[in-house]
Amino acid sequence: MKKKSHIENHVLQGSGPNQKGNIPLLFPIPSNQTEIIFSDATIDHNKTFIQLKSVGVGAFPPFPLQVFIFTRGSFIPIIIELEGSALFNEGNTRALQVEDFSFLAVRFNDEVGQREATVEVFIQKTFCFGC
């Protein structure tokens, strides 16, 4: 007898009036700490689309952020540097897809220690039950 499988999507996104599609959520990142943004505790095979962007907070510009993406079966994270921008008050958007996503963490390395950083995150995880 053939095993039944089921494919489903889970999305981590924001919402708002008259907004549709890819709407990121804002997460504050404390200075000199690594903040876990999202973790997947399931054992199901998945492919995950992750979109990230550093954004300014108040008078602070978007700062460079260090992103750690862990996948199941690997102790070595994928490390990405999100760029900030002092000129345009808008950081660069980075998007990537990973297989067997486990968790996402972001770090703001602040030599001053008193500034604020924020990251916009959109995640779409496609997974299969019984595959």
Side-chain angles (χ1 to χ4, degrees):
M1 181 175 209
K2 189 173 181 181
K3 198 178 189 184
K4 269 192 158 182
S5 60
H6 176 74
I7 295 174
E8 195 168 314
N9 288 314
H10 284 172
V11 179
L12 174 72
Q13 70 178 6
S15 63
N18 301 318
Q19 292 184 334
K20 293 180 181 179
N22 179 340
I23 306 164
L25 284 172
L26 286 172
F27 291 91
I29 307 299
S31 60
N32 301 315
Q33 294 181 32
T34 303
E35 192 75 17
I36 295 176
I37 301 297
F38 181 81
S39 63
D40 177 0
T42 69
I43 59 169
D44 297 308
H45 176 74
N46 69 72
K47 291 194 179 183
T48 304
F49 172 77
I50 303 168
Q51 180 179 303
L52 305 149
K53 179 180 176 182
S54 178
V55 294
V57 179
F60 298 115
F63 291 112
L65 300 174
Q66 201 170 31
V67 177
F68 303 92
I69 300 168
F70 286 83
T71 58
R72 258 194 314 276
S74 177
F75 295 107
I76 302 169
I78 300 165
I79 301 173
I80 296 170
E81 298 289 333
L82 277 182
E83 295 179 20
S85 173
L87 298 175
F88 303 107
N89 201 30
E90 190 167 314
N92 294 329
T93 300
R94 295 286 307 268
L96 62 147
Q97 182 173 316
V98 297
E99 190 168 3
D100 287 335
F101 172 77
S102 182
F103 71 90
L104 169 73
V106 179
R107 181 174 180 85
F108 171 38
N109 293 317
D110 183 21
E111 64 279 354
V112 175
Q114 309 254 330
R115 300 180 293 182
E116 296 178 40
T118 303
V119 64
E120 281 186 344
V121 178
F122 173 85
I123 297 174
Q124 180 175 337
K125 186 180 84 145
T126 303
F127 57 98
C128 184
F129 292 113
C131 293

